[in-house]
Amino acid sequence: MAVWSEVLFVGDERGTVRRAPAVALLAAVAVGIVVDRVWNWPLAGWLAVSVAAAAGAVLVRHRRLVMTVAVLSIWCGLAGAWHHFWWSTVSTNDVAAWATEDGVVVRLQGTLMESPWMTKRPGPIWDRKQETVWTTATLRAEALYDGCDRWESVSGVCRFTVRDDLSELSKLPVGQRLEILGTLERPRPAANPGDLDYREYLRSQRVHAVLSAERVECVRRIEIGTGWGSAWGRWRQRARAYAAQVFNQESSPDTTAVAQALFLGVRRQIDDQTREDFIRSGLLHVLAISGVNVGLLALWFWLACRLLRLSLFWSRWIVLTGLLGYLFLTEADPPVWRATLVAVLAIGAGFTGRLAPPRQMIALAALIVLLMNPTDLFHAGAQLSFLSVVIVSEVLRWRAAWEVRQREQEGLDGPTWRRRCWRVVGDAYAVSTATWLLTAPLVAYRFQLITPVGLVLNIVLGPLILIVMWLGYSTLLVGMVSPFVASWISPLLHAVLSAFLRCVRWGGRWDGGHQFVPGPDFGWLIVFYVAAGVLVWSSPGSSARRRALKVLAVLTVCGLAWGLRPQAAGELRMTVLSVGHGLSVVVSCPNGRTLVYDAGGMFLDRRVAETALRAVWRHGASSIDVLVLSHPDADHCNAVPRLLELAAVGGIGMHRTFVDERQEIVRDVLNSAADRSVPLLLSAPQSIRLDPDVQIEVIHPAPGFDSEKDNANSLVLAITYAGRTVLLAGDLEADGLAALLRLPPRRIDVLLAPHHGSRPSNPLDLARWARPEIVIASSGDAGSLAILEEVYGVDCLSTRQSGAIGVRVSQAGAISVEPFKSPRPASR
């Protein structure tokens, strides 16, 4: 009983806890959640595990070890059952039962669960300045019209989106009941390896359907809910709106958005460029409300109580109430919960007269976070948050122990003021360095990025960040009481925050400050953190610590190179990426050299470049030897500037007709290539030499061919290996297609259908000329796929339905096709 009381009360009266039951429980809970995610155990199976463990404990209760194992097994089973319920179970009348992959038009009634928010997205390639505004909210489904004059009761939650600037809709209160005419569909899964899986992201929030409406006229208000949940939500909504208004008084749009992210956790208003600057400068953690923010806020309340000469008892209650009130105002993400729970546990331990061991507090906070949402165990934000606080607590513990040993050796009674100053500086440097070094592998694995500049900026900008935090919390807390007084502090906050943003932009845009990397292997990551944990928690001078040091040294020196190992010889690999209406193809030769054919998309050109780079890494290459651009349409080359920024490119091949500087996208490509000294192969040679066993021919345009249409000038590649030929045809059409068909017929094994599989570019004459075995269309809907199958007489694939499509040609000439969304690869 004494052991488990230490879980509830954090520590014993002396604060010296040799056992760590909360850490053991956390480990058991994590094992149960991971096992369920990997093997998807049924709910009954987990309950059987828990009952069997309890029965075993009763039968052999005189054995303490078995009792402990049984208790941990029960926790493991309960955690697995809770995760299984959260992740794998859906109500029979959930609104997701009516959703389809392609969408179905429905009338749905539901209640708003949170304040709607507006996001801006870039316009189409022909008008990037025309931004599209989307209004998004979460809706609790209640009734669905079945088309027979009857409303059917439904349950569940769906993500609701209106493609319109609905400023009035964004002001709707929580609890507002709505009737919406829109398209109900299942969330889109990841289309390429490494992409964000939007379906899994929403699934972790128990959202299994997406409802989208085109215009505001499709939304009708019904009434406002009267339940206590709706009333609580509206109260919180009004409080958060009032708090956000405090930062809107004297600030520019940039500093307003950053201030709301720093102090309220609202990051949706930050534009993409500012967010990217924070990521590349290694300062993204500043935007996340974490232990530093909550600690400074607690200190603010504590100092205010001390100035008012309040008793220790009432000071603790005020700090505790203030922290819980701040949690009420913020987005309440896992890092916010973690930081607030640790502070609340520390204050609660003070009420009982006990000390608060950091490991126990962190473990208890993690248990509570996983109780609220067990899928947070797999989210990068929660992982980085808990990893960072563990590193900080252990580094400070080491530093304190080292300081005690130094004083004992030197015979000093206590540190002087100089020693205290140097200790603060040393602690800051040690914490920043250790946190950056130990979180860098996880950041590289999650985001394929390392930021050496962040190691410097976190130390140099530490005082400035501290000033920003103090001014921000002073503005927020004073503004909640008196906006007039807060208006005196707001200009100073604006000035300091502007200076901080200038430093962030410099760090994010300095090329030497960050590097995109493939990221370590998952197994390497697990071994690394296990060895780091053994190193931290083992006794000084023990054999376990020495072995952990050796393992970390070997992993650091040799392990990172494993991700860039060359692929097996004797295989040609090609991946047609799923980039929406656009095209990007990655081809790697048996010797490891890589060619990329086009890089563009109708929307989100940045994502196209990042997707192409990840595909290059998966092929085992670290750079692009040749980037071939078929023609100057933006949906084929608008991602090139970003790709040149991310990856090393040996050269860019294009036809001479590509260089039309009247087109903005062409100017962007040429300027980006010039800035990075990437050579241009304007003559478009008739062959490209990358591998002696692979023949890469430019079979169109022929010398002297020049059409007035860019599509007709598309550069067509024929890649031959082991007697098999792949044809990449760009947007070939009209007189360009006619010129290709005048060439002698060729046996094409894999054909990339011209112009995204459009009917005019894929006539029967092309089918007779090429006689392909496999036809792939970049984009393409179900209707165009049926037409392609009718024309070519073979099974066709599209990236819209299959996601990224991989093709492998072995040394023996065997072809295998691997659709990313299909569990069954095909071989020929």
Side-chain angles (χ1 to χ4, degrees):
M1 178 61 86
V3 175
W4 300 109
S5 70
E6 293 165 7
V7 178
L8 299 177
F9 295 103
V10 180
D12 58 14
E13 292 80 357
R14 296 169 297 173
T16 56
V17 180
R18 294 186 178 182
R19 296 175 296 271
V23 178
L25 291 182
L26 177 60
V29 166
V31 169
I33 292 174
V34 170
V35 168
D36 185 73
R37 176 63 68 91
V38 175
W39 286 287
N40 192 26
W41 279 26
L43 198 60
W46 278 117
L47 294 178
V49 169
S50 301
V51 172
V58 171
L59 294 175
V60 290
R61 58 190 176 193
H62 57 283
R63 298 183 182 178
R64 185 168 183 174
L65 177 61
V66 176
M67 186 70 175
T68 302
V69 172
V71 170
L72 294 179
S73 299
I74 292 173
W75 276 86
C76 179
L78 292 175
W82 173 233
H83 177 268
H84 190 85
F85 168 78
W86 187 280
W87 181 254
S88 302
T89 61
V90 181
S91 174
T92 55
N93 70 333
D94 193 284
V95 67
W98 282 263
T100 63
E101 294 291 341
D102 296 324
V104 58
V105 178
V106 299
R107 285 172 61 190
L108 182 70
Q109 291 182 356
T111 303
L112 283 178
M113 298 179 60
E114 58 182 338
S115 302
W117 67 90
M118 291 188 296
T119 55
K120 294 182 179 181
R121 303 181 186 179
I125 55 178
W126 56 84
D127 189 4
R128 283 302 191 196
K129 297 180 181 179
Q130 181 185 357
E131 293 183 325
T132 305
V133 180
W134 295 69
T135 304
T136 308
T138 303
L139 197 72
R140 181 183 292 108
E142 297 173 352
L144 186 141
Y145 185 70
D146 63 359
C148 300
D149 296 330
R150 184 179 61 186
W151 287 91
E152 187 167 349
S153 177
V154 296
S155 63
V157 179
C158 67
R159 180 62 59 89
F160 161 54
T161 304
V162 180
R163 188 177 178 178
D164 209 339
D165 184 356
L166 305 179
S167 301
E168 292 301 320
L169 184 60
S170 64
K171 299 176 183 178
L172 287 178
V174 174
Q176 174 71 58
R177 297 189 67 239
L178 302 173
E179 181 180 325
I180 304 162
L181 175 64
T183 303
L184 186 69
E185 60 183 336
R186 298 193 65 197
R188 298 284 183 184
N192 303 280
D195 283 358
L196 171 67
D197 195 322
Y198 189 57
R199 177 175 294 180
E200 285 201 356
Y201 168 73
L202 291 183
R203 184 180 178 184
S204 67
Q205 303 174 40
R206 292 190 61 78
V207 177
H208 304 281
V210 175
L211 179 65
S212 58
E214 289 295 325
R215 301 187 58 81
V216 66
E217 289 79 10
C218 299
V219 181
R220 183 173 71 87
R221 304 184 190 184
I222 302 177
E223 60 186 8
I224 297 179
T226 57
W228 68 269
S230 298
W232 175 265
R234 287 192 294 273
W235 186 29
R236 183 169 180 259
Q237 182 184 26
R238 286 193 293 268
R240 294 187 63 194
Y242 187 79
Q245 189 62 31
V246 171
F247 296 107
N248 294 339
Q249 297 179 2
E250 297 281 343
S251 300
S252 66
D254 286 345
T255 54
T256 297
V258 174
Q260 292 187 11
L262 282 171
F263 306 111
L264 297 177
V266 181
R267 295 187 290 274
R268 300 187 184 102
Q269 298 181 5
I270 298 179
D271 59 87
D272 292 339
Q273 184 59 56
T274 301
R275 182 179 285 105
E276 188 169 348
D277 289 338
F278 271 96
I279 293 174
R280 293 185 175 189
S281 63
L283 295 170
L284 182 63
H285 63 90
V286 178
L287 290 180
I289 300 177
S290 59
V292 175
N293 307 60
V294 174
L296 290 174
L297 181 62
L299 184 59
W300 195 97
F301 280 115
W302 185 262
L303 292 177
C305 292
R306 294 291 87 192
L307 289 174
L308 295 175
R309 298 182 180 274
L310 298 178
S311 65
L312 186 62
F313 176 82
W314 286 111
S315 297
R316 285 173 174 163
W317 270 114
I318 290 175
V319 174
L320 183 62
T321 305
L323 292 181
L324 294 177
Y326 182 63
L327 180 65
F328 175 76
L329 286 176
T330 64
E331 288 281 341
D333 291 331
V336 186
W337 274 103
R338 188 267 307 159
T340 305
L341 287 171
V342 169
V344 169
L345 289 171
I347 296 171
F351 276 121
T352 62
R354 299 166 180 251
L355 298 180
R359 294 177 186 174
Q360 289 285 85
M361 291 192 302
I362 297 169
L364 279 173
L367 285 169
I368 297 173
V369 168
L370 294 180
L371 177 64
M372 294 186 295
N373 187 343
T375 63
D376 282 336
L377 181 66
F378 305 98
H379 292 170
Q383 292 171 357
L384 286 170
S385 173
F386 280 99
L387 178 60
S388 298
V389 73
V390 168
I391 294 170
V392 170
S393 64
E394 293 300 326
V395 169
L396 292 179
R397 183 178 65 84
W398 277 24
R399 284 280 299 169
W402 179 82
E403 185 76 16
V404 170
R405 289 196 300 270
Q406 287 293 107
R407 290 205 304 267
E408 290 176 352
Q409 293 175 1
E410 298 177 6
L412 300 176
D413 295 332
T416 63
W417 68 270
R418 290 185 179 180
R419 284 182 175 272
R420 289 193 181 95
C421 293
W422 281 113
R423 180 178 179 179
V424 171
V425 174
D427 288 350
Y429 180 78
V431 166
S432 298
T433 303
T435 303
W436 186 89
L437 289 174
L438 292 177
T439 57
L442 182 57
V443 172
Y445 176 77
R446 284 289 193 173
F447 305 107
Q448 292 79 51
L449 179 71
I450 57 173
T451 55
V453 69
L455 183 59
V456 178
L457 290 180
N458 276 286
I459 298 173
V460 174
L461 297 182
L464 184 61
I465 295 173
L466 183 63
I467 295 173
V468 168
M469 293 294 182
W470 276 106
L471 289 173
Y473 284 124
S474 298
T475 302
L476 175 62
L477 297 174
V478 174
M480 295 293 288
V481 178
S482 174
F484 175 73
V485 177
S487 64
W488 300 348
I489 311 174
S490 184
L492 183 58
L493 171 64
H494 166 67
V496 177
L497 196 54
S498 297
F500 173 66
L501 283 177
R502 285 194 292 270
C503 297
V504 170
R505 293 190 178 103
W506 173 85
R509 299 175 190 182
W510 177 41
D511 290 339
H514 61 274
Q515 181 64 45
F516 290 89
V517 296
D521 184 75
F522 180 72
W524 182 96
L525 195 73
I526 295 298
V527 175
F528 176 85
Y529 282 113
V530 169
V534 172
L535 177 65
V536 170
W537 284 317
S538 58
S539 302
S542 64
S543 59
R545 174 167 290 189
R546 290 194 296 271
R547 293 192 187 98
L549 279 173
K550 293 177 181 178
V551 170
L552 286 175
V554 171
L555 288 175
T556 304
V557 174
C558 304
L560 292 176
W562 180 254
L564 293 177
R565 65 192 184 280
Q567 67 177 60
E571 184 179 64
L572 177 76
R573 294 181 62 186
M574 180 181 78
T575 302
V576 182
L577 301 174
S578 179
V579 293
H581 187 87
L583 179 63
S584 185
V585 182
V586 177
V587 181
S588 60
C589 298
N591 63 359
R593 302 192 70 184
T594 303
L595 176 147
V596 174
Y597 182 80
D598 282 348
M602 189 72 73
F603 298 94
L604 302 175
D605 51 303
R606 289 175 177 265
R607 290 189 184 177
V608 174
E610 293 166 2
T611 299
L613 181 58
R614 284 195 295 267
V616 170
W617 288 337
R618 287 194 305 274
H619 281 217
S622 58
S623 61
I624 300 170
D625 294 285
V626 178
L627 172 62
V628 177
L629 303 179
S630 62
H631 64 295
D633 278 3
D635 61 325
H636 288 252
C637 62
N638 63 351
V640 171
R642 172 71 169 175
L643 186 59
L644 295 179
E645 182 182 350
L646 298 178
V649 178
I652 302 178
M654 60 183 69
H655 190 250
R656 54 184 174 79
T657 56
F658 186 96
V659 188
D660 181 5
E661 296 193 11
R662 293 172 298 178
Q663 301 185 47
E664 182 181 0
I665 186 59
V666 173
R667 294 196 300 270
D668 291 343
V669 170
L670 297 179
N671 291 336
S672 298
D675 291 343
R676 288 164 177 79
S677 302
V678 179
L680 302 179
L681 309 176
L682 297 177
S683 59
Q686 294 304 110
S687 64
I688 300 174
R689 302 286 295 177
L690 292 180
D691 189 311
D693 297 328
V694 179
Q695 183 180 5
I696 305 176
E697 303 174 80
V698 179
I699 64 174
H700 179 80
F705 180 88
D706 191 356
S707 175
E708 295 180 356
K709 299 179 179 179
D710 288 335
N711 286 353
N713 292 321
S714 290
L715 196 150
V716 179
L717 291 185
I719 304 173
T720 303
Y721 173 70
R724 299 286 194 164
T725 300
V726 177
L727 190 71
L728 307 179
D731 275 358
L732 191 65
E733 64 179 4
D735 51 339
L737 181 59
L740 177 70
L741 295 178
R742 285 194 293 269
L743 296 176
R746 304 183 62 147
R747 178 66 179 182
I748 304 300
D749 297 283
V750 181
L751 172 66
L752 180 66
H755 208 173
H756 314 287
S758 69
R759 182 65 180 88
S761 296
N762 293 270
L764 287 172
D765 290 340
L766 179 59
R768 299 188 189 100
W769 183 88
R771 294 171 298 159
E773 293 185 10
I774 302 168
V775 178
I776 300 173
S778 178
S779 186
D781 54 22
S784 64
L785 202 59
I787 293 174
L788 287 177
E789 291 179 347
E790 180 181 352
V791 170
Y792 290 102
V794 297
D795 292 338
C796 301
L797 299 94
S798 72
T799 57
R800 177 182 176 86
Q801 293 183 335
S802 301
I805 300 172
V807 178
R808 295 173 183 260
V809 181
S810 69
Q811 195 170 11
I815 299 178
S816 60
V817 182
E818 302 168 349
F820 178 65
K821 293 184 181 179
S822 173
R824 295 175 307 202
S827 299
R828 288 174 174 82

